[in-house]
Amino acid sequence: MGQTQKLFRGEAGEIREALSVHEGITFQQNPFDFFVVLARYKFAVRQLNKTDSVLDAGCGLGYGSVFLSEFAGQVVGGDVDEELVERNQKAYQDINNLEFQKLDLLADKVRLNPFDAVISMDVIEHFDESK
């Protein structure tokens, strides 16, 4: 399991539930960091139209994708961690304009043309410099 996949998992590899951790930190120990991330998404939605199709690349636990779904026509949350994608699909299945897909930003040929906007928050710093 790569570094990116470990961010949202416990010691045994299990996916940690929403609001128990974010970006590898405990929400209860440092809620400020969690809200800083949401503030970044708040900035991003100011650039969107209600009809836009949006890719949230490296969506992690999907908090930002859920937030974006309130301000866009369609949101796709993409992440390299397939189990995390499945967890997000189940957790947020009632949001009609939101879906999650497995997406490896380094290996997949990402088709950006169907999207009006691509958002990728707190992702690039997790890439291995050699790739």
Side-chain angles (χ1 to χ4, degrees), residues 17-87:
E17 286 306 309
L19 295 183
S20 64
V21 298
H22 184 72
E23 291 296 326
I25 60 161
T26 304
F27 172 74
Q28 290 88 351
Q29 291 175 342
N30 196 350
F32 178 77
D33 286 346
F34 175 78
F35 292 109
V36 166
V37 171
L38 287 183
R40 293 177 189 145
Y41 277 95
K42 183 179 177 186
F43 171 80
V45 299
R46 292 181 186 153
Q47 314 306 313
L48 301 178
N49 295 310
K50 190 65 177 166
T51 58
D52 284 348
S53 176
V54 178
L55 172 62
D56 186 14
C59 68
L61 288 168
Y63 305 133
S65 302
V66 171
F67 188 76
L68 292 169
S69 73
E70 291 291 317
F71 300 91
Q74 180 67 29
V75 176
V76 174
D79 201 277
V80 69
D81 187 330
E82 193 167 350
E83 285 183 79
L84 191 57
V85 167
E86 290 172 11
R87 175 241 177 248

Side-chain angles (χ1 to χ4, degrees), residues 78-117:
D79 201 277
V80 69
D81 187 330
E82 193 167 350
E83 285 183 79
L84 191 57
V85 167
E86 290 172 11
R87 175 241 177 248
N88 290 348
Q89 287 171 330
K90 290 177 187 168
Y92 306 120
Q93 65 185 341
D94 294 336
I95 302 175
N96 293 329
N97 66 333
L98 176 61
E99 66 178 280
F100 293 91
Q101 299 176 3
K102 183 178 184 310
L103 174 67
D104 185 338
L105 294 169
L106 294 178
D108 295 340
K109 185 173 182 177
V110 181
R111 293 189 58 230
L112 301 179
N113 59 338
F115 299 102
D116 298 304

